[in-house]
Amino acid sequence: MESSTLLALLSSISQLILLLLLLSPNSTNSSSSCANVFPIAHSFLSSHEMAATLSLLTLSRKRKRTHFSERDSEPTDHDKDQELGGGDSVQLGLTRSPDSFRNSFRMTYSTFEWLCGLLEPLLECRDPVGLPLNLSAELRLGIGLFRLSTGSSYPEISKQFGVSEPVARFCAKQLCRVLCTNYRFWIEFPNPNELASVSAAFGSQTGLPNCCGVIDCTRFKTVKNGGFHEESIAAQIMVDSSSRILSIVAGFRGNKGDSRVLKSSTLYKDIEAGRLLNSPPVNVDGVAVNQYLIGDEGYPLLPWLMVPFVDAAKGSSEEHFNAAHNLMRLSALRTIVSLKSWGILSQPIQEEFKMAVAYIGACSILHNGLLRREDFSAMCDVDDYSLYDQSSQYYRDTSLEENSIERKASVIRTALAAKAKEFQNAQV
């Protein structure tokens, strides 16, 4: 029986008892009867109201309780037999140990709880049309994260969580929709004050002033038509020194070079129009150095985009600049490695193009969300980042460059090179 119905019934019973006692013919003193009856009736009503309220709270807590067992467990036959909607008895079947959560969800248990608290209203507010799900927010989140973190197929997820394949597919897509729609602000171009902090961090690392980020472009493979047709998606990212993503644009065809991806992006158009990187320049040995980004040799040399020198002589300022340049680029390569370590992105994505882009966006948003929590479960460090450096495969289109702009940029880069040499010599 519903708690609200039980409460109403108990209230009616207590009122009936009160009425019968008041009308009883054996009562010789109505005043005395009333005095004795009211406390009894009130006590009866209050105790049962409390019981009904506690029952209601218990039901609510049961619905929202995190579905983790204290030890590893396999889904029961009852769990496996459940159809669309599953039911709250389905268990995630994980302990709360750090390794268990990092392996399955690429985050700690406390981060999972925090994320579930944020997303719960959004995850529970939508179900498949005509097919309501009886699944807690924890389970919905767990299914979606498991798809992203491990790249498991829907049949594998169905078996793991004891839900049908349509439920697994819905939960994965719903999590991507919620993240890409409601939490896009976790990836946000910094305001001028925040950019100053970004620049200061790069400056303390290399001695180069006014650098506002590192830009890079990577590719994620996709397959469709049963795996017989393979393509790739280009994703352009901009990061700070801590590998936090400041900007991401995904959805370009992978055969497009880095330079063309850049020139097609809103980031390029906003910077060129003066809407971004527009703070006053700093003076470096008499040269006005505007805010700029660091990019690899796949990009054009621009006043706001510094690329490495080609064939720098040993011991020269140019070589010192390239060393500082490579050091700063590590933050972007570390981000790319970390993104490609999400299971869904580590292999060809077997989804339609639009959904594949959503997976890239969702993993990028989660990447920043974890850094906000100082949860480094999904961060990766490797000994050789060159394996993930695709710049040599996508040369810039020099026909798009304007010589006057490149000459201005060269003056700025030369001034920065002298600064890099001075800084590195001071460190010896």
Side-chain angles (χ1 to χ4, degrees):
M1 181 181 295
E2 294 289 338
S3 296
S4 58
T5 305
L6 177 61
L7 179 59
L9 178 60
L10 292 174
S11 178
S12 299
I13 291 173
S14 64
Q15 292 175 22
L16 179 60
I17 292 172
L18 175 61
L19 181 61
L20 290 175
L21 288 172
L22 288 173
L23 298 178
S24 172
N26 296 327
S27 184
T28 56
N29 188 328
S30 60
S31 298
S32 175
S33 296
C34 288
N36 293 330
V37 167
F38 276 116
I40 295 172
H42 182 268
S43 175
F44 181 85
L45 177 59
S46 299
S47 63
H48 284 81
E49 281 179 337
M50 181 64 72
T53 302
L54 289 175
S55 175
L56 184 62
L57 289 174
T58 302
L59 287 173
S60 177
R61 289 179 62 84
K62 283 181 179 178
R63 184 185 68 82
K64 294 187 177 182
R65 184 173 297 142
T66 306
H67 296 277
F68 307 108
S69 57
E70 293 300 323
R71 57 185 177 81
D72 291 334
S73 60
E74 294 295 327
T76 64
D77 291 339
H78 173 68
D79 295 333
K80 294 177 181 178
D81 289 340
Q82 293 192 26
E83 300 297 329
L84 189 66
D88 276 358
S89 62
V90 179
Q91 302 292 305
L92 288 183
L94 294 173
T95 64
R96 301 184 185 186
S97 68
D99 289 342
S100 179
F101 268 76
R102 289 193 181 102
N103 292 338
S104 296
F105 305 127
R106 296 183 66 76
M107 62 184 64
T108 63
Y109 170 72
S110 62
T111 298
F112 183 96
E113 277 197 321
W114 167 79
L115 186 61
C116 188
L118 287 178
L119 303 186
E120 181 177 7
L122 298 168
L123 291 175
E124 291 187 337
C125 73
R126 182 178 178 184
D127 287 341
V129 177
L131 295 171
L133 299 182
N134 183 26
L135 297 179
S136 65
E138 290 91 340
L139 192 54
R140 294 174 189 235
L141 176 61
I143 292 171
L145 282 177
F146 194 78
R147 169 72 169 158
L148 295 178
S149 63
T150 67
S152 298
S153 66
Y154 292 119
E156 291 170 334
I157 297 172
S158 173
K159 182 178 180 181
Q160 171 74 20
F161 292 95
V163 297
S164 66
E165 289 184 33
V167 168
R169 185 180 298 273
F170 174 83
C171 289
K173 291 188 174 183
Q174 186 192 30
L175 177 60
C176 290
R177 179 187 62 81
V178 166
L179 289 172
C180 293
T181 302
N182 300 91
Y183 283 86
R184 287 182 299 176
F185 67 90
W186 280 359
I187 298 178
E188 194 170 46
F189 196 91
N191 61 42
N193 289 335
E194 292 168 336
L195 273 182
S197 298
V198 172
S199 297
F202 279 119
S204 65
Q205 186 182 52
T206 64
L208 297 183
N210 235 15
C211 176
C212 294
V214 181
I215 190 170
D216 210 331
C217 194
T218 190
R219 275 83 185 163
F220 298 94
K221 292 182 179 180
T222 65
V223 291
K224 60 181 182 179
N225 298 333
F228 294 105
H229 184 65
E230 185 172 297
E231 295 181 339
S232 65
I233 299 172
Q236 175 184 281
I237 63 169
M238 171 188 163
V239 306
D240 66 10
S241 61
S242 68
S243 294
R244 177 172 59 108
I245 301 173
L246 307 178
S247 169
I248 182 167
V249 182
F252 299 102
R253 297 295 176 180
N255 59 357
K256 209 171 190 179
D258 293 1
S259 180
R260 288 189 175 273
V261 170
L262 172 66
K263 290 176 183 292
S264 300
S265 69
T266 55
L267 178 67
Y268 177 88
K269 294 169 185 175
D270 285 340
I271 295 175
E272 285 289 304
R275 290 187 288 269
L276 297 175
L277 302 186
N278 52 10
S279 293
V282 297
N283 187 290
V284 178
D285 295 334
V287 176
V289 176
N290 291 302
Q291 293 178 314
Y292 61 91
L293 305 179
I294 287 291
D296 60 42
E297 59 267 28
Y299 290 105
L301 176 63
L302 300 169
W304 55 265
L305 181 53
M306 297 289 105
V307 300
F309 288 94
V310 178
D311 300 326
K314 187 174 179 60
S316 65
S317 297
E318 288 81 3
E319 185 187 46
H320 283 85
F321 175 85
N322 283 359
H325 186 280
N326 288 335
L327 182 60
M328 289 192 284
R329 278 199 66 222
L330 289 181
S331 61
L333 294 175
R334 189 179 301 117
T335 302
I336 291 172
V337 172
S338 299
L339 288 179
K340 291 195 170 186
S341 294
W342 285 84
I344 195 64
L345 303 182
S346 66
Q347 57 192 338
I349 308 170
Q350 299 190 35
E351 294 279 1
E352 292 299 318
F353 192 87
K354 184 177 180 180
M355 192 62 215
V357 172
Y359 279 134
I360 296 170
C363 291
S364 301
I365 291 168
L366 287 170
H367 171 90
N368 274 14
L370 293 176
L371 289 181
R372 282 171 173 248
R373 287 271 300 175
E374 297 185 354
D375 183 344
F376 304 107
S377 304
M379 287 297 296
C380 297
D381 283 298
V382 296
D383 295 329
D384 187 5
Y385 283 103
S386 64
L387 298 174
Y388 297 86
D389 187 355
Q390 300 176 337
S391 60
S392 60
Q393 302 176 36
Y394 302 96
Y395 294 103
R396 66 181 185 270
D397 186 349
T398 54
S399 65
L400 297 177
E401 297 178 7
E402 298 180 29
N403 291 333
S404 61
I405 293 177
E406 188 169 356
R407 282 196 295 270
K408 179 181 177 181
S410 294
V411 172
I412 294 173
R413 185 172 62 172
T414 299
L416 290 172
K419 194 73 173 177
K421 184 175 183 179
E422 178 185 325
F423 179 82
Q424 291 173 33
N425 288 338
Q427 302 303 306
V428 177

